[in-house]
Amino acid sequence: MKILHLADLHLGKILQEQSLIEDQEYMLKEIIKIIKNEDIGAVLISGDVYDRSVPPAEAVNLLDNFLKILIKELKIKVFIISGNHDSKDRLGFGSKIFEDEGLYIESKYNGNLRKIEIEDEYGKLNIYMLPFIKPVEVKQYFEDDLENNYNTAINKIIKKEKINKEERNIILVHQFVTAGTVEPERSESEVLTLGGIENVDVSNFDDFDYVAIGHVHRPQKIGRDTARYAGTMLKYSFSEINHNKTVPIIDFKEKGNIEINLNELAPIRDMREIKGPIEELLKKENYEKGNINDYIKAIITNEETVYDAIGQIRRIYPNTLKLEIRNSKTIN
């Protein structure tokens, strides 16, 4: 079975007062094309479905249309967990009803790790679902003190279960997963508590054949090839301009035989930085080769004051979201 792994959709995202709904709708349609072309059997969404706990109506409708196509038209099973940006109650509404249609949503940890068994030509495949947790939210289920330590909490949650290592096992998780002292590359929007108490070591998931992780925006593996952050489908900050956004497709065969392919995602508008004297940035030969509708961070290097710099730049690049003046006077 081929399984597609998504995470951190952040539907309803607004960047510098610019709604990204149109960009997100375009990208979800591109992902649907990939799903059709690759004959995907299941889709995993590892949290942060929405960008905030009370999403705008457009974001809810976008998810509704996406899931309708996957479940009703393509007959694909979909598994969703909540992330730290999601409202557990809102995301989990109606989840028991949806299961009859093949949509599984786990938004709260209720004392046991949720497991769904599905079948393919190689037999049983177990999909475990662990939504985003804070130690304070789950301490009631354990006798020992979790000491507000995320790694301790996740360790106890996993150990409480009887994972059959002879079977094929997948887990969806939305935490800051590290590998010893190795941390994933983060963007500027991903701020963590000092002291590393939010770190969860990837070794906690050794009994799982694939770890479908959400929380970090850059697509990357952590610790091993089969433990991966899917990353965001779009660039959501200018610290991500050098990220290559991809979607992992996991081809599960018999136990121990897994192939992972990364499909590149091309947005309708990219996010990039332009830099130089304003007169150079406005020359046709310097902008005609790129997409002038991209989301732009413009860095103006003129020494003298530039009148209405943002207005001049936006006449060429209408989606300029950020402007900086960087010259000898601004550099300390």
Side-chain angles (χ1 to χ4, degrees), residues 52-115:
R52 51 190 184 273
S53 59
V54 183
E58 297 89 345
V60 177
N61 290 336
L62 193 55
L63 179 66
D64 185 48
N65 291 333
F66 180 61
L67 294 177
K68 179 182 177 181
I69 293 172
L70 297 189
I71 294 166
K72 290 290 189 180
E73 296 183 20
L74 303 181
K75 307 300 181 184
I76 290 173
K77 293 185 183 298
V78 180
F79 302 83
I80 301 175
I81 61 169
S82 61
N84 56 301
H85 281 247
D86 298 310
S87 163
K88 296 178 184 294
D89 292 327
R90 287 186 175 87
L91 188 64
F93 177 78
S95 58
K96 299 301 180 185
I97 300 172
F98 301 147
E99 288 182 10
D100 291 338
E101 302 293 331
L103 171 60
Y104 302 89
I105 302 173
E106 192 73 0
S107 63
K108 296 180 181 179
Y109 177 74
N110 294 312
N112 293 103
L113 197 56
R114 180 77 185 280
K115 181 177 80 169

Side-chain angles (χ1 to χ4, degrees), residues 291-305:
N291 182 1
I292 60 173
N293 291 310
D294 285 343
Y295 294 118
I296 297 295
K297 174 183 177 180
I299 300 174
I300 307 300
T301 60
N302 299 69
E303 290 293 328
E304 69 280 3
T305 301

Side-chain angles (χ1 to χ4, degrees), residues 231-252:
T232 55
M233 61 182 180
L234 294 166
K235 299 171 184 178
Y236 287 141
S237 73
F238 284 104
S239 63
E240 300 175 41
I241 58 175
N242 294 321
H243 290 186
N244 291 320
K245 300 299 183 180
T246 59
V247 58
I249 295 176
I250 309 95
D251 192 355
F252 275 88

